[in-house]
């Protein structure tokens, strides 16, 4: 059996977890983009990088003389889930703050998303019919479906703005993306200064 501990940063000679101050030298992360894992929406990170400007995406590996991957040039990280929703993203937003000193969190919802094909009530009812489980109280109904893009995008940004898991120095952006034209529309922006006011 392989000793997997050799692959852990904490065990590398010269790595001191108590004096760790981020992996920014290796990967200069600036922005996290949260979007739907629908394959038709896969161009979203590039569209956001172009919109924000001064971002590197997709970038490339930095490799040392031994072929070891010591970093990457990418500044814009991606996080996909069903709908590109804020609720499912909170843990990653919080833990990435430990690893990097990043600046922006971007939520993007896209046209003809599967999440717009049902209501929360229908999801709850069908889940109960099929699996005999009541999910109605397990998470917020606004986070179960997309019933109105503008409202849902604003809801997700508000959820981030009010969560203790989203540090106050992060700028928050909410966008709508049209999958056929590739057009990205900014719906809401909450700069860090506003969150700290
Ligand atoms: Zn979708």
């Amino acid at each position: 059996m392989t000793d997997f501990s050799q692959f852990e940063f904490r065990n590398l000679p010269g790595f001191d977890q108590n004096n760790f101050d981020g992996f920014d030298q290796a990967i200069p992360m600036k922005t996290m983009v949260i979007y739907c894992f629908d394959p038709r929406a896969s161009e979203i990170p590039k569209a956001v990088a172009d919109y924000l400007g001064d971002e590197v995406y997709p970038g490339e590996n930095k490799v040392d003389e031994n072929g070891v991957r010591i970093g990457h040039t990418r500044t814009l990280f991606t996080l996909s889930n069903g709908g590109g929703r804020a609720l499912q993203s909170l843990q990653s937003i919080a833990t990435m703050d430990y690893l990097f000193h990043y600046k922006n969190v971007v939520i993007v919802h896209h046209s003809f998303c599967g999440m717009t094909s049902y209501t929360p009530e229908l999801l709850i009812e069908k889940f109960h019919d099929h699996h005999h489980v009541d999910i109605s109280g397990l998470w917020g109904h606004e986070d179960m479906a997309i019933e109105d893009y503008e409202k849902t995008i604003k809801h997700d940004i508000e959820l981030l703005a009010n969560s203790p898991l989203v540090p106050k120095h992060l700028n928050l952006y909410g966008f709508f993306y049209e999958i056929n034209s590739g057009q990205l529309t900014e719906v809401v922006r909450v700069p860090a200064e506003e969150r700290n006011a």
Side-chain angles (χ1 to χ4, degrees):
M1 187 76 179
T2 307
D3 173 14
F4 295 117
S5 70
Q6 65 182 301
F7 302 114
E8 296 168 357
F9 266 112
R10 288 186 312 280
N11 300 319
L12 285 182
F15 184 83
D16 176 6
Q17 63 177 322
N18 294 311
N19 289 303
F20 175 76
D21 188 32
F23 283 127
D24 306 78
Q25 295 293 334
I27 309 178
M29 178 183 184
K30 264 173 42 182
T31 299
M32 184 188 293
V33 177
I34 297 153
Y35 67 111
C36 185
F37 49 35
D38 185 327
R40 300 172 304 157
S42 61
E43 292 95 345
I44 285 176
K46 180 76 176 87
V48 172
D50 292 346
Y51 184 94
L52 294 178
D54 199 29
E55 295 278 357
V56 177
Y57 184 87
E60 57 191 30
N61 279 306
K62 295 181 203 165
V63 182
D64 73 7
E65 63 277 12
N66 300 313
V68 173
R69 293 185 178 189
I70 54 170
H72 202 283
T73 62
R74 184 179 301 183
T75 62
L76 183 138
F77 280 35
T78 64
L79 181 57
S80 290
N81 61 48
R85 302 304 304 269
L87 182 66
Q88 295 97 307
S89 310
L90 290 171
Q91 292 162 340
S92 294
I93 291 171
T95 51
M96 284 310 100
D97 181 69
Y98 181 84
L99 296 179
F100 298 97
H101 297 92
Y102 70 113
K103 307 262 183 286
N104 310 305
V105 176
V106 179
I107 290 270
V108 188
H109 296 166
H110 70 93
S111 59
F112 306 107
C113 184
M115 264 202 158
T116 66
S117 66
Y118 57 86
T119 62
E121 292 72 29
L122 208 53
L123 175 73
I124 291 163
E125 185 189 318
K126 288 286 166 70
F127 203 90
H128 192 264
D129 288 350
H130 296 158
H131 312 295
H132 314 291
V133 173
D134 178 14
I135 62 168
S136 63
L138 296 186
W139 77 100
H141 292 198
E142 287 155 307
D143 302 305
M144 288 183 176
I146 296 175
E147 296 193 272
D148 173 319
Y149 279 110
E150 195 176 331
K151 273 189 200 158
T152 309
I153 292 165
K154 287 178 176 168
H155 164 81
D156 275 20
I157 292 300
E158 209 168 294
L159 189 151
L160 297 182
N162 295 324
S163 172
L165 293 171
V166 182
K168 296 284 186 201
H169 67 271
L170 290 167
N171 304 300
L172 309 176
Y173 297 83
F175 288 94
F176 173 78
Y177 180 80
E178 210 293 292
I179 56 170
N180 295 306
S181 66
Q183 196 187 353
L184 191 67
T185 305
E186 185 173 325
V187 174
V188 57
R189 181 191 294 215
V190 183
E193 306 87 69
E194 223 171 274
R195 303 184 59 206
N196 291 292

